[in-house]
Amino acid sequence: MTFSLPRTALAMLALAMPGAAWAHVVPNMTVEADFAADGGYTLSINVDPRTFLAADPTTLPPVPGSWYREQTPEQLAATHEKAGEYLTRALGLLFGGQKTPLPNCAIQAIDGESNTPLTAETQEVHLLASAQGRVPAGAASFQIDFAKDANTTLILLPSHGGKAAPRPQVIFPGETSRAYPLETSTPAPTTTTAPAPAPQPPAPLFSLGLVITLSVVVMLLIVGWRLLNHYRHHHRAHRRPRPDDVNN
């Protein structure tokens, strides 16, 4: 696919290049990476179009807003595609040291000075690429592997739930950023209660042992009573008669 700048944009760029010395400030790329507690993350990438419009971005002046506004829908689609291809090649995401491809990005034009939506007064245009994804399970760190042919420097601004890291990281082509620790949410500990004991059937009023004991006691009482009566009868039959029993 061929890519060309509109004629008006080419003329404006040519006027901004004084003489043969096309030395301009090196553009940079800003990546804001925000991680949520639920494992999701969002990327906001501020891209200077010069990074993919020229092999050496310093040969181009800042790209005016009219360059973007005057493109046809087909040209805009080609611009977005070229920007997406550049980002996919330049940015490698590392989670826990494992490389992950950059998610598909939605691209829109913004004011390069104020980072606000593009207007008719915009002097310098940038592209904002937005992507979303989820941290792979078990990954505890995040890094960016910046390609050698990225043509620019990168400023990484990691954050967790909107809370930015103390210091941004500056990464040069061919470098890998420092590991940014990911705060993973840990589920609240679940307390397990011991199962309630199974209901026991009500104990009988008289246990078997008690019944046996009572039966033995009753039998002993009966036997004792009979022995006592037998002793009394035997004692009366064999005792000596008393004088007062003669007349009876």
Side-chain angles (χ1 to χ4, degrees), residues 57-97:
T58 61
T59 62
L60 293 179
V63 180
S66 58
W67 168 80
Y68 188 88
R69 292 194 303 269
E70 295 176 3
Q71 292 188 50
T72 64
E74 292 76 15
Q75 290 172 328
L76 288 176
T79 297
H80 291 181
E81 182 178 357
K82 194 173 184 69
E85 292 174 350
Y86 166 76
L87 291 174
T88 300
R89 184 181 73 253
L91 298 177
L93 308 184
L94 298 176
F95 290 98

PDB file of all heavy atoms in Angstrom, residues 57-97:
ATOM      1  N   PRO A  57      12.937  10.827  11.709  1.00  0.00           N
ATOM      2  CA  PRO A  57      11.925  11.842  12.026  1.00  0.00           C
ATOM      3  C   PRO A  57      12.470  13.252  12.158  1.00  0.00           C
ATOM      4  O   PRO A  57      11.727  14.223  11.993  1.00  0.00           O
ATOM      5  CB  PRO A  57      11.343  11.353  13.358  1.00  0.00           C
ATOM      6  CG  PRO A  57      11.657   9.901  13.411  1.00  0.00           C
ATOM      7  CD  PRO A  57      12.967   9.758  12.722  1.00  0.00           C
ATOM      8  N   THR A  58      13.766  13.379  12.430  1.00  0.00           N
ATOM      9  CA  THR A  58      14.328  14.725  12.603  1.00  0.00           C
ATOM     10  C   THR A  58      14.418  15.487  11.287  1.00  0.00           C
ATOM     11  O   THR A  58      14.693  16.688  11.282  1.00  0.00           O
ATOM     12  CB  THR A  58      15.718  14.643  13.250  1.00  0.00           C
ATOM     13  OG1 THR A  58      16.592  13.904  12.404  1.00  0.00           O
ATOM     14  CG2 THR A  58      15.636  13.970  14.612  1.00  0.00           C
ATOM     15  N   THR A  59      14.178  14.812  10.180  1.00  0.00           N
ATOM     16  CA  THR A  59      14.204  15.500   8.896  1.00  0.00           C
ATOM     17  C   THR A  59      12.895  16.204   8.597  1.00  0.00           C
ATOM     18  O   THR A  59      12.803  16.928   7.600  1.00  0.00           O
ATOM     19  CB  THR A  59      14.505  14.505   7.759  1.00  0.00           C
ATOM     20  OG1 THR A  59      13.475  13.522   7.703  1.00  0.00           O
ATOM     21  CG2 THR A  59      15.853  13.819   7.994  1.00  0.00           C
ATOM     22  N   LEU A  60      11.892  15.988   9.427  1.00  0.00           N
ATOM     23  CA  LEU A  60      10.590  16.627   9.216  1.00  0.00           C
ATOM     24  C   LEU A  60      10.304  17.611  10.341  1.00  0.00           C
ATOM     25  O   LEU A  60      10.657  17.369  11.497  1.00  0.00           O
ATOM     26  CB  LEU A  60       9.475  15.573   9.182  1.00  0.00           C
ATOM     27  CG  LEU A  60       9.464  14.587   8.015  1.00  0.00           C
ATOM     28  CD1 LEU A  60       8.300  13.612   8.167  1.00  0.00           C
ATOM     29  CD2 LEU A  60       9.381  15.312   6.680  1.00  0.00           C
ATOM     30  N   PRO A  61       9.630  18.705  10.021  1.00  0.00           N
ATOM     31  CA  PRO A  61       9.181  19.618  11.066  1.00  0.00           C
ATOM     32  C   PRO A  61       7.930  19.049  11.726  1.00  0.00           C
ATOM     33  O   PRO A  61       7.366  18.061  11.250  1.00  0.00           O
ATOM     34  CB  PRO A  61       8.860  20.896  10.294  1.00  0.00           C
ATOM     35  CG  PRO A  61       8.401  20.398   8.972  1.00  0.00           C
ATOM     36  CD  PRO A  61       9.239  19.176   8.677  1.00  0.00           C
ATOM     37  N   PRO A  62       7.463  19.641  12.819  1.00  0.00           N
ATOM     38  CA  PRO A  62       6.198  19.189  13.401  1.00  0.00           C
ATOM     39  C   PRO A  62       5.092  19.205  12.353  1.00  0.00           C
ATOM     40  O   PRO A  62       4.979  20.133  11.545  1.00  0.00           O
ATOM     41  CB  PRO A  62       5.947  20.203  14.524  1.00  0.00           C
ATOM     42  CG  PRO A  62       7.311  20.674  14.905  1.00  0.00           C
ATOM     43  CD  PRO A  62       8.100  20.706  13.625  1.00  0.00           C
ATOM     44  N   VAL A  63       4.263  18.154  12.343  1.00  0.00           N
ATOM     45  CA  VAL A  63       3.220  18.009  11.327  1.00  0.00           C
ATOM     46  C   VAL A  63       2.031  18.900  11.684  1.00  0.00           C
ATOM     47  O   VAL A  63       1.474  18.782  12.773  1.00  0.00           O
ATOM     48  CB  VAL A  63       2.785  16.536  11.213  1.00  0.00           C
ATOM     49  CG1 VAL A  63       1.703  16.383  10.155  1.00  0.00           C
ATOM     50  CG2 VAL A  63       3.980  15.650  10.887  1.00  0.00           C
ATOM     51  N   PRO A  64       1.613  19.810  10.787  1.00  0.00           N
ATOM     52  CA  PRO A  64       0.499  20.714  11.094  1.00  0.00           C
ATOM     53  C   PRO A  64      -0.843  19.994  11.098  1.00  0.00           C
ATOM     54  O   PRO A  64      -1.010  18.937  10.487  1.00  0.00           O
ATOM     55  CB  PRO A  64       0.560  21.743   9.957  1.00  0.00           C
ATOM     56  CG  PRO A  64       1.204  21.015   8.834  1.00  0.00           C
ATOM     57  CD  PRO A  64       2.188  20.057   9.460  1.00  0.00           C
ATOM     58  N   GLY A  65      -1.809  20.583  11.780  1.00  0.00           N
ATOM     59  CA  GLY A  65      -3.128  19.984  11.859  1.00  0.00           C
ATOM     60  C   GLY A  65      -3.806  19.872  10.521  1.00  0.00           C
ATOM     61  O   GLY A  65      -4.620  18.963  10.294  1.00  0.00           O
ATOM     62  N   SER A  66      -3.484  20.784   9.603  1.00  0.00           N
ATOM     63  CA  SER A  66      -4.115  20.757   8.286  1.00  0.00           C
ATOM     64  C   SER A  66      -3.751  19.484   7.523  1.00  0.00           C
ATOM     65  O   SER A  66      -4.521  19.008   6.684  1.00  0.00           O
ATOM     66  CB  SER A  66      -3.700  21.988   7.477  1.00  0.00           C
ATOM     67  OG  SER A  66      -2.286  22.047   7.349  1.00  0.00           O
ATOM     68  N   TRP A  67      -2.557  18.923   7.805  1.00  0.00           N
ATOM     69  CA  TRP A  67      -2.169  17.668   7.148  1.00  0.00           C
ATOM     70  C   TRP A  67      -3.209  16.573   7.399  1.00  0.00           C
ATOM     71  O   TRP A  67      -3.550  15.805   6.494  1.00  0.00           O
ATOM     72  CB  TRP A  67      -0.795  17.238   7.661  1.00  0.00           C
ATOM     73  CG  TRP A  67      -0.420  15.820   7.287  1.00  0.00           C
ATOM     74  CD1 TRP A  67       0.059  15.405   6.096  1.00  0.00           C
ATOM     75  CD2 TRP A  67      -0.513  14.670   8.120  1.00  0.00           C
ATOM     76  NE1 TRP A  67       0.283  14.044   6.119  1.00  0.00           N
ATOM     77  CE2 TRP A  67      -0.058  13.570   7.356  1.00  0.00           C
ATOM     78  CE3 TRP A  67      -0.915  14.458   9.442  1.00  0.00           C
ATOM     79  CZ2 TRP A  67      -0.003  12.279   7.867  1.00  0.00           C
ATOM     80  CZ3 TRP A  67      -0.860  13.175   9.951  1.00  0.00           C
ATOM     81  CH2 TRP A  67      -0.412  12.096   9.171  1.00  0.00           C
ATOM     82  N   TYR A  68      -3.723  16.514   8.603  1.00  0.00           N
ATOM     83  CA  TYR A  68      -4.709  15.486   8.943  1.00  0.00           C
ATOM     84  C   TYR A  68      -6.102  15.881   8.457  1.00  0.00           C
ATOM     85  O   TYR A  68      -6.822  15.062   7.892  1.00  0.00           O
ATOM     86  CB  TYR A  68      -4.718  15.264  10.451  1.00  0.00           C
ATOM     87  CG  TYR A  68      -5.564  14.086  10.887  1.00  0.00           C
ATOM     88  CD1 TYR A  68      -5.021  12.803  10.961  1.00  0.00           C
ATOM     89  CD2 TYR A  68      -6.919  14.247  11.216  1.00  0.00           C
ATOM     90  CE1 TYR A  68      -5.788  11.721  11.356  1.00  0.00           C
ATOM     91  CE2 TYR A  68      -7.686  13.172  11.612  1.00  0.00           C
ATOM     92  CZ  TYR A  68      -7.127  11.912  11.681  1.00  0.00           C
ATOM     93  OH  TYR A  68      -7.885  10.839  12.058  1.00  0.00           O
ATOM     94  N   ARG A  69      -6.464  17.138   8.646  1.00  0.00           N
ATOM     95  CA  ARG A  69      -7.826  17.563   8.318  1.00  0.00           C
ATOM     96  C   ARG A  69      -8.108  17.478   6.822  1.00  0.00           C
ATOM     97  O   ARG A  69      -9.254  17.253   6.424  1.00  0.00           O
ATOM     98  CB  ARG A  69      -8.057  18.997   8.799  1.00  0.00           C
ATOM     99  CG  ARG A  69      -8.084  19.162  10.313  1.00  0.00           C
ATOM    100  CD  ARG A  69      -8.654  20.523  10.693  1.00  0.00           C
ATOM    101  NE  ARG A  69      -7.892  21.602  10.079  1.00  0.00           N
ATOM    102  CZ  ARG A  69      -6.854  22.205  10.656  1.00  0.00           C
ATOM    103  NH1 ARG A  69      -6.459  21.798  11.864  1.00  0.00           N
ATOM    104  NH2 ARG A  69      -6.219  23.175  10.044  1.00  0.00           N
ATOM    105  N   GLU A  70      -7.094  17.655   5.983  1.00  0.00           N
ATOM    106  CA  GLU A  70      -7.307  17.696   4.542  1.00  0.00           C
ATOM    107  C   GLU A  70      -7.214  16.324   3.883  1.00  0.00           C
ATOM    108  O   GLU A  70      -7.355  16.212   2.664  1.00  0.00           O
ATOM    109  CB  GLU A  70      -6.290  18.645   3.899  1.00  0.00           C
ATOM    110  CG  GLU A  70      -6.483  20.087   4.322  1.00  0.00           C
ATOM    111  CD  GLU A  70      -5.430  21.013   3.756  1.00  0.00           C
ATOM    112  OE1 GLU A  70      -4.567  20.523   2.976  1.00  0.00           O
ATOM    113  OE2 GLU A  70      -5.453  22.206   4.082  1.00  0.00           O
ATOM    114  N   GLN A  71      -7.026  15.282   4.657  1.00  0.00           N
ATOM    115  CA  GLN A  71      -6.962  13.943   4.070  1.00  0.00           C
ATOM    116  C   GLN A  71      -8.357  13.435   3.754  1.00  0.00           C
ATOM    117  O   GLN A  71      -9.334  13.731   4.457  1.00  0.00           O
ATOM    118  CB  GLN A  71      -6.246  12.975   5.019  1.00  0.00           C
ATOM    119  CG  GLN A  71      -4.761  13.267   5.197  1.00  0.00           C
ATOM    120  CD  GLN A  71      -4.062  12.188   5.986  1.00  0.00           C
ATOM    121  OE1 GLN A  71      -4.198  11.008   5.681  1.00  0.00           O
ATOM    122  NE2 GLN A  71      -3.306  12.593   7.001  1.00  0.00           N
ATOM    123  N   THR A  72      -8.450  12.647   2.706  1.00  0.00           N
ATOM    124  CA  THR A  72      -9.705  11.990   2.354  1.00  0.00           C
ATOM    125  C   THR A  72      -9.932  10.812   3.303  1.00  0.00           C
ATOM    126  O   THR A  72      -8.995  10.365   4.000  1.00  0.00           O
ATOM    127  CB  THR A  72      -9.647  11.469   0.915  1.00  0.00           C
ATOM    128  OG1 THR A  72      -8.630  10.449   0.837  1.00  0.00           O
ATOM    129  CG2 THR A  72      -9.323  12.606  -0.058  1.00  0.00           C
ATOM    130  N   PRO A  73     -11.143  10.287   3.392  1.00  0.00           N
ATOM    131  CA  PRO A  73     -11.381   9.113   4.248  1.00  0.00           C
ATOM    132  C   PRO A  73     -10.435   7.954   3.938  1.00  0.00           C
ATOM    133  O   PRO A  73      -9.989   7.254   4.855  1.00  0.00           O
ATOM    134  CB  PRO A  73     -12.840   8.746   3.950  1.00  0.00           C
ATOM    135  CG  PRO A  73     -13.468  10.050   3.562  1.00  0.00           C
ATOM    136  CD  PRO A  73     -12.407  10.798   2.811  1.00  0.00           C
ATOM    137  N   GLU A  74     -10.121   7.737   2.648  1.00  0.00           N
ATOM    138  CA  GLU A  74      -9.201   6.668   2.298  1.00  0.00           C
ATOM    139  C   GLU A  74      -7.798   6.954   2.821  1.00  0.00           C
ATOM    140  O   GLU A  74      -7.097   6.055   3.308  1.00  0.00           O
ATOM    141  CB  GLU A  74      -9.165   6.489   0.771  1.00  0.00           C
ATOM    142  CG  GLU A  74     -10.448   5.950   0.150  1.00  0.00           C
ATOM    143  CD  GLU A  74     -11.540   7.008   0.063  1.00  0.00           C
ATOM    144  OE1 GLU A  74     -11.210   8.213   0.220  1.00  0.00           O
ATOM    145  OE2 GLU A  74     -12.702   6.640  -0.159  1.00  0.00           O
ATOM    146  N   GLN A  75      -7.379   8.210   2.714  1.00  0.00           N
ATOM    147  CA  GLN A  75      -6.060   8.578   3.214  1.00  0.00           C
ATOM    148  C   GLN A  75      -5.994   8.474   4.741  1.00  0.00           C
ATOM    149  O   GLN A  75      -4.972   8.058   5.305  1.00  0.00           O
ATOM    150  CB  GLN A  75      -5.703   9.980   2.748  1.00  0.00           C
ATOM    151  CG  GLN A  75      -5.428  10.088   1.263  1.00  0.00           C
ATOM    152  CD  GLN A  75      -5.263  11.527   0.808  1.00  0.00           C
ATOM    153  OE1 GLN A  75      -5.879  12.443   1.356  1.00  0.00           O
ATOM    154  NE2 GLN A  75      -4.422  11.739  -0.199  1.00  0.00           N
ATOM    155  N   LEU A  76      -7.093   8.866   5.407  1.00  0.00           N
ATOM    156  CA  LEU A  76      -7.113   8.738   6.868  1.00  0.00           C
ATOM    157  C   LEU A  76      -7.013   7.278   7.288  1.00  0.00           C
ATOM    158  O   LEU A  76      -6.305   6.943   8.240  1.00  0.00           O
ATOM    159  CB  LEU A  76      -8.402   9.350   7.428  1.00  0.00           C
ATOM    160  CG  LEU A  76      -8.498  10.880   7.387  1.00  0.00           C
ATOM    161  CD1 LEU A  76      -9.873  11.329   7.892  1.00  0.00           C
ATOM    162  CD2 LEU A  76      -7.397  11.515   8.230  1.00  0.00           C
ATOM    163  N   ALA A  77      -7.727   6.397   6.567  1.00  0.00           N
ATOM    164  CA  ALA A  77      -7.652   4.968   6.879  1.00  0.00           C
ATOM    165  C   ALA A  77      -6.231   4.459   6.694  1.00  0.00           C
ATOM    166  O   ALA A  77      -5.718   3.667   7.502  1.00  0.00           O
ATOM    167  CB  ALA A  77      -8.628   4.187   6.006  1.00  0.00           C
ATOM    168  N   ALA A  78      -5.554   4.921   5.636  1.00  0.00           N
ATOM    169  CA  ALA A  78      -4.170   4.506   5.398  1.00  0.00           C
ATOM    170  C   ALA A  78      -3.241   5.057   6.480  1.00  0.00           C
ATOM    171  O   ALA A  78      -2.313   4.368   6.928  1.00  0.00           O
ATOM    172  CB  ALA A  78      -3.720   4.976   4.018  1.00  0.00           C
ATOM    173  N   THR A  79      -3.502   6.297   6.925  1.00  0.00           N
ATOM    174  CA  THR A  79      -2.692   6.884   7.995  1.00  0.00           C
ATOM    175  C   THR A  79      -2.830   6.086   9.284  1.00  0.00           C
ATOM    176  O   THR A  79      -1.842   5.769   9.957  1.00  0.00           O
ATOM    177  CB  THR A  79      -3.107   8.343   8.236  1.00  0.00           C
ATOM    178  OG1 THR A  79      -2.843   9.109   7.061  1.00  0.00           O
ATOM    179  CG2 THR A  79      -2.341   8.942   9.407  1.00  0.00           C
ATOM    180  N   HIS A  80      -4.068   5.754   9.647  1.00  0.00           N
ATOM    181  CA  HIS A  80      -4.306   4.985  10.871  1.00  0.00           C
ATOM    182  C   HIS A  80      -3.678   3.598  10.774  1.00  0.00           C
ATOM    183  O   HIS A  80      -3.120   3.082  11.756  1.00  0.00           O
ATOM    184  CB  HIS A  80      -5.803   4.875  11.129  1.00  0.00           C
ATOM    185  CG  HIS A  80      -6.431   6.176  11.509  1.00  0.00           C
ATOM    186  ND1 HIS A  80      -7.777   6.294  11.798  1.00  0.00           N
ATOM    187  CD2 HIS A  80      -5.922   7.424  11.643  1.00  0.00           C
ATOM    188  CE1 HIS A  80      -8.055   7.549  12.102  1.00  0.00           C
ATOM    189  NE2 HIS A  80      -6.937   8.253  12.014  1.00  0.00           N
ATOM    190  N   GLU A  81      -3.779   2.991   9.594  1.00  0.00           N
ATOM    191  CA  GLU A  81      -3.190   1.657   9.425  1.00  0.00           C
ATOM    192  C   GLU A  81      -1.670   1.715   9.566  1.00  0.00           C
ATOM    193  O   GLU A  81      -1.066   0.847  10.201  1.00  0.00           O
ATOM    194  CB  GLU A  81      -3.576   1.094   8.061  1.00  0.00           C
ATOM    195  CG  GLU A  81      -3.039  -0.302   7.814  1.00  0.00           C
ATOM    196  CD  GLU A  81      -3.467  -0.861   6.474  1.00  0.00           C
ATOM    197  OE1 GLU A  81      -4.238  -0.179   5.760  1.00  0.00           O
ATOM    198  OE2 GLU A  81      -3.012  -1.972   6.131  1.00  0.00           O
ATOM    199  N   LYS A  82      -1.070   2.735   8.964  1.00  0.00           N
ATOM    200  CA  LYS A  82       0.382   2.869   9.054  1.00  0.00           C
ATOM    201  C   LYS A  82       0.813   3.120  10.493  1.00  0.00           C
ATOM    202  O   LYS A  82       1.819   2.580  10.958  1.00  0.00           O
ATOM    203  CB  LYS A  82       0.845   4.014   8.153  1.00  0.00           C
ATOM    204  CG  LYS A  82       2.347   4.036   7.899  1.00  0.00           C
ATOM    205  CD  LYS A  82       2.688   5.076   6.868  1.00  0.00           C
ATOM    206  CE  LYS A  82       4.186   5.062   6.525  1.00  0.00           C
ATOM    207  NZ  LYS A  82       4.549   3.818   5.783  1.00  0.00           N
ATOM    208  N   ALA A  83       0.047   3.942  11.222  1.00  0.00           N
ATOM    209  CA  ALA A  83       0.364   4.189  12.629  1.00  0.00           C
ATOM    210  C   ALA A  83       0.233   2.907  13.440  1.00  0.00           C
ATOM    211  O   ALA A  83       1.071   2.616  14.305  1.00  0.00           O
ATOM    212  CB  ALA A  83      -0.555   5.267  13.186  1.00  0.00           C
ATOM    213  N   GLY A  84      -0.832   2.121  13.187  1.00  0.00           N
ATOM    214  CA  GLY A  84      -1.013   0.867  13.915  1.00  0.00           C
ATOM    215  C   GLY A  84       0.097  -0.120  13.650  1.00  0.00           C
ATOM    216  O   GLY A  84       0.567  -0.814  14.566  1.00  0.00           O
ATOM    217  N   GLU A  85       0.546  -0.213  12.382  1.00  0.00           N
ATOM    218  CA  GLU A  85       1.645  -1.108  12.053  1.00  0.00           C
ATOM    219  C   GLU A  85       2.937  -0.678  12.753  1.00  0.00           C
ATOM    220  O   GLU A  85       3.705  -1.519  13.240  1.00  0.00           O
ATOM    221  CB  GLU A  85       1.850  -1.127  10.540  1.00  0.00           C
ATOM    222  CG  GLU A  85       0.712  -1.787   9.781  1.00  0.00           C
ATOM    223  CD  GLU A  85       0.882  -1.659   8.279  1.00  0.00           C
ATOM    224  OE1 GLU A  85       1.789  -0.892   7.849  1.00  0.00           O
ATOM    225  OE2 GLU A  85       0.125  -2.301   7.541  1.00  0.00           O
ATOM    226  N   TYR A  86       3.149   0.623  12.801  1.00  0.00           N
ATOM    227  CA  TYR A  86       4.347   1.127  13.482  1.00  0.00           C
ATOM    228  C   TYR A  86       4.320   0.780  14.974  1.00  0.00           C
ATOM    229  O   TYR A  86       5.316   0.314  15.536  1.00  0.00           O
ATOM    230  CB  TYR A  86       4.452   2.641  13.283  1.00  0.00           C
ATOM    231  CG  TYR A  86       5.443   3.298  14.218  1.00  0.00           C
ATOM    232  CD1 TYR A  86       6.814   3.190  14.002  1.00  0.00           C
ATOM    233  CD2 TYR A  86       5.004   4.007  15.337  1.00  0.00           C
ATOM    234  CE1 TYR A  86       7.728   3.783  14.870  1.00  0.00           C
ATOM    235  CE2 TYR A  86       5.908   4.596  16.211  1.00  0.00           C
ATOM    236  CZ  TYR A  86       7.262   4.480  15.970  1.00  0.00           C
ATOM    237  OH  TYR A  86       8.156   5.049  16.836  1.00  0.00           O
ATOM    238  N   LEU A  87       3.176   0.989  15.618  1.00  0.00           N
ATOM    239  CA  LEU A  87       3.079   0.720  17.056  1.00  0.00           C
ATOM    240  C   LEU A  87       3.242  -0.769  17.345  1.00  0.00           C
ATOM    241  O   LEU A  87       3.906  -1.161  18.321  1.00  0.00           O
ATOM    242  CB  LEU A  87       1.740   1.220  17.594  1.00  0.00           C
ATOM    243  CG  LEU A  87       1.556   2.741  17.623  1.00  0.00           C
ATOM    244  CD1 LEU A  87       0.131   3.102  18.048  1.00  0.00           C
ATOM    245  CD2 LEU A  87       2.565   3.392  18.553  1.00  0.00           C
ATOM    246  N   THR A  88       2.650  -1.612  16.514  1.00  0.00           N
ATOM    247  CA  THR A  88       2.773  -3.057  16.715  1.00  0.00           C
ATOM    248  C   THR A  88       4.223  -3.496  16.608  1.00  0.00           C
ATOM    249  O   THR A  88       4.683  -4.385  17.341  1.00  0.00           O
ATOM    250  CB  THR A  88       1.916  -3.809  15.685  1.00  0.00           C
ATOM    251  OG1 THR A  88       0.541  -3.425  15.846  1.00  0.00           O
ATOM    252  CG2 THR A  88       2.036  -5.310  15.866  1.00  0.00           C
ATOM    253  N   ARG A  89       4.958  -2.872  15.686  1.00  0.00           N
ATOM    254  CA  ARG A  89       6.367  -3.215  15.507  1.00  0.00           C
ATOM    255  C   ARG A  89       7.247  -2.641  16.616  1.00  0.00           C
ATOM    256  O   ARG A  89       8.216  -3.274  17.054  1.00  0.00           O
ATOM    257  CB  ARG A  89       6.848  -2.695  14.155  1.00  0.00           C
ATOM    258  CG  ARG A  89       8.282  -3.074  13.818  1.00  0.00           C
ATOM    259  CD  ARG A  89       8.721  -2.515  12.476  1.00  0.00           C
ATOM    260  NE  ARG A  89       8.946  -1.067  12.523  1.00  0.00           N
ATOM    261  CZ  ARG A  89       8.145  -0.166  11.978  1.00  0.00           C
ATOM    262  NH1 ARG A  89       7.035  -0.556  11.348  1.00  0.00           N
ATOM    263  NH2 ARG A  89       8.423   1.125  12.065  1.00  0.00           N
ATOM    264  N   ALA A  90       6.905  -1.442  17.077  1.00  0.00           N
ATOM    265  CA  ALA A  90       7.786  -0.737  18.016  1.00  0.00           C
ATOM    266  C   ALA A  90       7.572  -1.138  19.465  1.00  0.00           C
ATOM    267  O   ALA A  90       8.512  -1.107  20.261  1.00  0.00           O
ATOM    268  CB  ALA A  90       7.596   0.776  17.874  1.00  0.00           C
ATOM    269  N   LEU A  91       6.349  -1.511  19.820  1.00  0.00           N
ATOM    270  CA  LEU A  91       6.028  -1.761  21.225  1.00  0.00           C
ATOM    271  C   LEU A  91       5.760  -3.235  21.472  1.00  0.00           C
ATOM    272  O   LEU A  91       4.833  -3.823  20.889  1.00  0.00           O
ATOM    273  CB  LEU A  91       4.800  -0.947  21.655  1.00  0.00           C
ATOM    274  CG  LEU A  91       4.923   0.576  21.585  1.00  0.00           C
ATOM    275  CD1 LEU A  91       3.597   1.224  21.985  1.00  0.00           C
ATOM    276  CD2 LEU A  91       6.048   1.066  22.479  1.00  0.00           C
ATOM    277  N   GLY A  92       6.551  -3.834  22.350  1.00  0.00           N
ATOM    278  CA  GLY A  92       6.284  -5.186  22.820  1.00  0.00           C
ATOM    279  C   GLY A  92       5.943  -5.134  24.300  1.00  0.00           C
ATOM    280  O   GLY A  92       6.645  -4.489  25.087  1.00  0.00           O
ATOM    281  N   LEU A  93       4.855  -5.757  24.697  1.00  0.00           N
ATOM    282  CA  LEU A  93       4.429  -5.757  26.101  1.00  0.00           C
ATOM    283  C   LEU A  93       4.952  -7.017  26.782  1.00  0.00           C
ATOM    284  O   LEU A  93       4.814  -8.124  26.253  1.00  0.00           O
ATOM    285  CB  LEU A  93       2.904  -5.699  26.192  1.00  0.00           C
ATOM    286  CG  LEU A  93       2.207  -4.589  25.400  1.00  0.00           C
ATOM    287  CD1 LEU A  93       0.708  -4.614  25.678  1.00  0.00           C
ATOM    288  CD2 LEU A  93       2.792  -3.230  25.718  1.00  0.00           C
ATOM    289  N   LEU A  94       5.535  -6.823  27.944  1.00  0.00           N
ATOM    290  CA  LEU A  94       6.050  -7.952  28.727  1.00  0.00           C
ATOM    291  C   LEU A  94       5.285  -8.040  30.037  1.00  0.00           C
ATOM    292  O   LEU A  94       5.276  -7.087  30.822  1.00  0.00           O
ATOM    293  CB  LEU A  94       7.545  -7.787  29.008  1.00  0.00           C
ATOM    294  CG  LEU A  94       8.486  -7.749  27.797  1.00  0.00           C
ATOM    295  CD1 LEU A  94       9.916  -7.484  28.244  1.00  0.00           C
ATOM    296  CD2 LEU A  94       8.413  -9.049  27.031  1.00  0.00           C
ATOM    297  N   PHE A  95       4.648  -9.168  30.281  1.00  0.00           N
ATOM    298  CA  PHE A  95       3.955  -9.421  31.544  1.00  0.00           C
ATOM    299  C   PHE A  95       4.639 -10.605  32.215  1.00  0.00           C
ATOM    300  O   PHE A  95       4.642 -11.707  31.682  1.00  0.00           O
ATOM    301  CB  PHE A  95       2.474  -9.730  31.311  1.00  0.00           C
ATOM    302  CG  PHE A  95       1.667  -8.548  30.858  1.00  0.00           C
ATOM    303  CD1 PHE A  95       1.386  -8.349  29.517  1.00  0.00           C
ATOM    304  CD2 PHE A  95       1.197  -7.621  31.785  1.00  0.00           C
ATOM    305  CE1 PHE A  95       0.640  -7.258  29.106  1.00  0.00           C
ATOM    306  CE2 PHE A  95       0.463  -6.523  31.383  1.00  0.00           C
ATOM    307  CZ  PHE A  95       0.179  -6.338  30.032  1.00  0.00           C
ATOM    308  N   GLY A  96       5.247 -10.324  33.371  1.00  0.00           N
ATOM    309  CA  GLY A  96       5.992 -11.380  34.044  1.00  0.00           C
ATOM    310  C   GLY A  96       7.142 -11.899  33.195  1.00  0.00           C
ATOM    311  O   GLY A  96       7.512 -13.071  33.309  1.00  0.00           O
ATOM    312  N   GLY A  97       7.704 -11.038  32.329  1.00  0.00           N
ATOM    313  CA  GLY A  97       8.810 -11.449  31.472  1.00  0.00           C
ATOM    314  C   GLY A  97       8.386 -12.109  30.177  1.00  0.00           C
ATOM    315  O   GLY A  97       9.228 -12.360  29.313  1.00  0.00           O
TER     316      GLY A  97
END
